[in-house]
Amino acid sequence: MPAHVHFWTRHPEAIEPWDPDTEPGLHLTAYGHAFLELFHRMRADGRSVTIGPVIARKTSSVVVSMEELVAHQPQIPARMTLRLGAALLRARRRPAVVVLRVDTELSVRAPMFTTLEAMPTRASVHRSRQRVLPLLPQRGLHPRDASRGDSLRVIALKAYSYNVPDWMGPDFIRALNDLGLSLRIDTERDGRWEDFTDVDAVLCTHPARADPLSKPPTKLVAAWRAGAIPVCGPYVGYLETGRDGETMVVASSDSAEDYLDALRTLSRTPQLSERVRSALPAAAAAYAPDRVLRLNWEAFIAAPRLRFLRVIGAVLLAAPGAALSRLRRVLRTNASR
C-alpha cells in the first residue's frame, strides 16, 4: 500500500485552509511552524497527507507535535496520552508514530509508544529512536538588499521581547556606535521580524533560562537565508550547524563584551566578512524548503511501526490520571458556580 502520513491534532484551526506563503503572519508558534506548516507544504507538494483527530485508515505514519501534547505542562498530561493512544488503537494499520519536538524542555518525555522522535540538536540524541530532522526555514523573510554590498553598519537582534538579553542596553549600544555600528532590535511588537532588507549582521542569542540542548538553530538558518552575517553565541545548535569564520562568527560567551569583540573583529577584518557573506547561499541551500520536505518525508515513511502492546500499556497507565484530572475539572467548575 502506498505511504500515507497523518498529522494528528485536536486543534480546530488545523483543518482551515492556509497558504504559508500568502499568509506568513498566521500560526507563529512552534506548533504552527514545525507541524502545521509542514503539513500544508507537504500537501501542496502533492504528498499523501491528512490532518485531524481521526487517523485515516490508510495511514502508514502518524506525526504528532510535542508542543501540542505537552500543553505547557511539566510532562504530557495523562488525558493527551489517552486521546492519542485511543486514536492509534482505532487505526486499522500499525503506523509509525513520529513525535516532532522543537524547543520543548528535554525533561519532557515523549509517549512510550513513539517510534521516531525528532530532536532539536545532535547533542540531545540519546536513544536509538531519536534523530535530528531539519526544520522548515522561517517563512516570509525579506532578504538583505544586495545593493548594500560589503556594508557592515546595521546590526539586528530578532527575538521575542521577553528574550532580549539584559546586557543589550545603553552601554552596549554606545559601544556599538563607537565601532561605527547601529543596533536594531526587532520583536513581535514592531512588525519587522521578517525584514532583513537593511540588516548587515544578526545577533543570534538564546534565552538565558533555556536548556541549550533543546534549542534548534532557527536564528542561524534565518540569517543565512536572509543574507545577513550571523554573529552567534556559543550554543550547541549553532556550533553543530555552522562553522566559525566560514558561515558564522562565534562570540566566546553570551556576554556584551564577547559579542562586541566578535563584532569588532568582523568590522576590522574585511576578508572575514567577505568570506562569511559569500558562503551564506550554500549554507542556506541545505535548508531549502523542498529539501526539508524530502528529508522529513523519507524519515516519516521509514520510521519503525508501533507495537500495539505499548499503546495499550500507555492507555492503561494514563486512564486513572485522566479520570482524576477530569473529576478535578468538574469539581472546580461546580465550585465556581
Side-chain angles (χ1 to χ4, degrees):
M1 187 176 291
H4 177 84
V5 175
H6 182 84
F7 287 70
W8 183 87
T9 178
R10 293 173 56 84
H11 287 322
E13 67 269 23
I15 62 174
E16 297 175 359
W18 179 43
D19 183 343
D21 293 321
T22 59
E23 297 179 292
L26 294 181
H27 308 301
L28 298 176
T29 61
Y31 167 85
H33 174 67
F35 179 85
L36 195 54
E37 182 180 355
L38 187 62
F39 162 75
H40 282 283
R41 293 200 182 279
M42 283 190 171
R43 184 170 66 175
D45 198 44
R47 301 180 190 272
S48 180
V49 293
T50 47
I51 195 167
V54 179
I55 298 172
R57 293 182 179 181
K58 58 184 177 180
T59 297
S60 52
S61 300
V62 175
V63 178
V64 187
S65 166
M66 176 64 95
E67 280 66 34
E68 178 177 3
L69 288 179
V70 75
H72 306 291
Q73 301 299 312
Q75 292 294 334
I76 296 173
R79 67 180 184 278
M80 292 302 294
T81 299
L82 190 63
R83 289 166 178 169
L84 175 57
L88 288 167
L89 290 175
R90 287 193 291 268
R92 295 298 181 91
R93 300 175 67 182
R94 277 195 315 122
V97 179
V98 182
V99 174
L100 303 180
R101 60 191 309 154
V102 180
D103 53 8
T104 300
E105 292 292 331
L106 297 178
S107 58
V108 179
R109 297 183 296 275
M112 61 186 294
F113 46 77
T114 302
T115 62
L116 173 62
E117 186 177 0
M119 305 299 287
T121 59
R122 291 197 298 274
S124 67
V125 174
H126 298 294
R127 305 179 65 176
S128 59
R129 75 181 189 189
Q130 297 174 333
R131 61 175 290 188
V132 176
L133 291 177
L135 294 170
L136 285 167
Q138 183 180 338
R139 60 185 178 268
L141 294 181
H142 303 291
R144 181 176 182 266
D145 188 341
S147 67
R148 295 184 67 81
D150 296 331
S151 171
L152 186 63
R153 299 193 304 272
V154 179
I155 312 300
L157 173 76
K158 308 279 187 174
Y160 282 110
S161 52
Y162 50 80
N163 285 335
V164 175
D166 293 337
W167 47 260
M168 202 168 287
D171 290 342
F172 180 76
I173 293 172
R174 278 193 294 269
L176 273 183
N177 295 159
D178 290 342
L179 293 175
L181 306 173
S182 62
L183 178 66
R184 205 179 93 181
I185 298 177
D186 296 342
T187 71
E188 75 282 6
R189 298 173 177 173
D190 53 33
R192 299 192 302 178
W193 203 321
E194 299 85 7
D195 185 6
F196 289 77
T197 52
D198 63 348
V199 173
D200 301 314
V202 180
L203 301 179
C204 300
T205 61
H206 269 184
R209 61 188 175 278
D211 179 350
L213 300 187
S214 70
K215 302 297 290 185
T218 49
K219 291 183 180 179
L220 173 62
V221 174
W224 284 347
R225 290 183 59 82
I229 295 175
V231 180
C232 304
Y235 299 107
V236 171
Y238 300 148
L239 298 178
E240 288 180 348
T241 309
R243 299 189 307 277
D244 187 20
E246 298 293 334
T247 59
M248 63 180 180
V249 176
V250 178
S252 299
S253 73
D254 189 22
S255 68
E257 294 76 14
D258 285 328
Y259 273 100
L260 286 170
D261 282 345
L263 288 166
R264 186 177 295 110
T265 300
L266 187 62
S267 63
R268 294 177 179 177
T269 317
Q271 61 269 33
L272 172 61
S273 60
E274 181 180 350
R275 182 169 65 248
V276 174
R277 199 181 303 283
S278 64
L280 299 183
Y287 291 85
D290 56 348
R291 184 174 188 272
V292 172
L293 292 182
R294 177 176 58 79
L295 292 176
N296 276 266
W297 177 264
E298 291 172 354
F300 294 169
I301 64 176
R305 301 294 181 258
L306 66 77
R307 288 183 284 177
F308 273 122
L309 285 179
R310 283 187 174 271
V311 182
I312 293 170
V315 167
L316 291 176
L317 288 173
L324 182 59
S325 176
R326 182 176 178 80
L327 176 61
R328 287 171 177 167
R329 290 198 302 275
V330 170
L331 293 175
R332 283 197 300 268
T333 301
N334 291 338
S336 64
R337 289 176 178 173

